[in-house]
Amino acid sequence: LEDGRQIITCIGDVNLFRGAAGSGDTLELLADSAVVFLSADTPEDARDGPLISDSGGDSDQFGGMGVEAVYLGGDIRIFSGGRTIRASQAYYDLARNRALILDAVAFSMVPDRDLPIYLRAERIRQLSEREWSADNAVLTTSEFHTPHYHIGASSVELTNLTPAEPSGRQIGIRAGNFQIRDATLNIGGRPISYWPYLRGNVDTSETAIKSLRASYSDDF
């Protein structure tokens, strides 16, 4: 590139992996194609070397050159911390743990409950290692593209507050908080209720809905 950075273009069954195998704190990216952006602060003498080496080394490096970001296209599958995301396009800023994922379907199991959660969204943004947001989202326990019932929202924000196990392994979301805007409860594809704003906590209660509270305010 003009600023001196180098990129790697990968085509055909691309598999990118970051982290120590078996640690649970890993990120695996699979796609039809990818563009890997190498760090701009790579030493000059390393830039002239081979981009891909068989000599091993750190998992976030290509031939001694650090990876800054990656763009993915095609049949994308993302595996991280017990979550699976499928998408058509994605951009990962690996240096800052940020991402933009388009036409996304995220899947996760509620720990110790065997309860699946599906999130379909026009856009999913990873704001940090523990913060996520989704636009034009559908939240449901159904794997069908058109679920029997779902919660719709213009935006969903989730913060994962689950502490990691002593081994460092991620165990899914057991604690956190969420915010939902323009929430609708839909049955058979038809909205039966609307609420402009919802906020709550995530925990592993015995039922899918632990409690409901309603209040009134004339501020707006």
Side-chain angles (χ1 to χ4, degrees):
L1 303 178
E2 292 183 358
D3 60 4
R5 290 186 301 169
Q6 293 195 35
I7 61 174
I8 302 173
T9 301
C10 310
I11 300 175
D13 296 329
V14 181
N15 188 338
L16 303 175
F17 189 88
R18 183 181 72 172
S23 68
D25 186 17
T26 59
L27 174 66
E28 186 174 9
L29 308 173
L30 289 80
D32 290 338
S33 60
V35 178
V36 179
F37 296 84
L38 302 179
S39 300
D41 56 358
T42 301
E44 289 288 345
D45 56 353
R47 295 180 185 178
D48 296 330
L51 294 181
I52 300 179
S53 173
D54 296 329
S55 60
D58 295 337
S59 59
D60 61 346
Q61 294 188 347
F62 282 84
M65 303 177 69
V67 176
E68 185 175 87
V70 58
Y71 166 80
L72 306 169
D75 182 18
I76 299 171
R77 286 156 291 165
I78 302 170
F79 304 95
S80 176
R83 296 180 301 273
T84 300
I85 302 177
R86 302 186 71 100
S88 61
Q89 296 183 78
Y91 178 82
Y92 252 94
D93 184 340
L94 298 172
R96 300 172 181 84
N97 284 318
R98 296 169 66 92
L100 174 62
I101 308 170
L102 304 182
D103 300 325
V105 179
F107 167 77
S108 182
M109 294 292 295
V110 177
D112 305 326
R113 292 279 311 283
D114 291 329
L115 180 67
I117 297 294
Y118 292 88
L119 175 66
R120 301 177 182 273
E122 182 179 309
R123 289 179 298 272
I124 291 181
R125 292 182 175 88
Q126 179 177 336
L127 307 176
S128 69
E129 189 175 358
R130 289 180 170 265
E131 295 177 290
W132 298 77
S133 70
D135 298 330
N136 296 329
V138 170
L139 186 65
T140 180
T141 59
S142 172
E143 62 182 319
F144 296 110
H145 182 271
T146 304
H148 300 303
Y149 63 91
H150 70 271
I151 295 175
S154 63
S155 68
V156 176
E157 299 175 12
L158 176 64
T159 302
N160 183 8
L161 302 177
T162 307
E165 290 187 341
S167 62
R169 185 173 67 90
Q170 297 295 323
I171 55 176
I173 299 177
R174 290 180 179 269
N177 54 59
F178 65 87
Q179 299 180 65
I180 300 177
R181 290 177 171 81
D182 299 320
T184 58
L185 176 60
N186 300 262
I187 297 179
R190 297 181 179 275
I192 63 172
S193 66
Y194 167 81
W195 209 258
Y197 180 74
L198 296 173
R199 181 176 62 184
N201 299 320
V202 178
D203 61 16
T204 53
S205 59
E206 294 182 356
T207 59
I209 300 178
K210 184 176 180 180
S211 63
L212 293 174
R213 291 186 300 176
S215 62
Y216 170 78
S217 172
D218 60 1
D219 291 345
F220 302 101

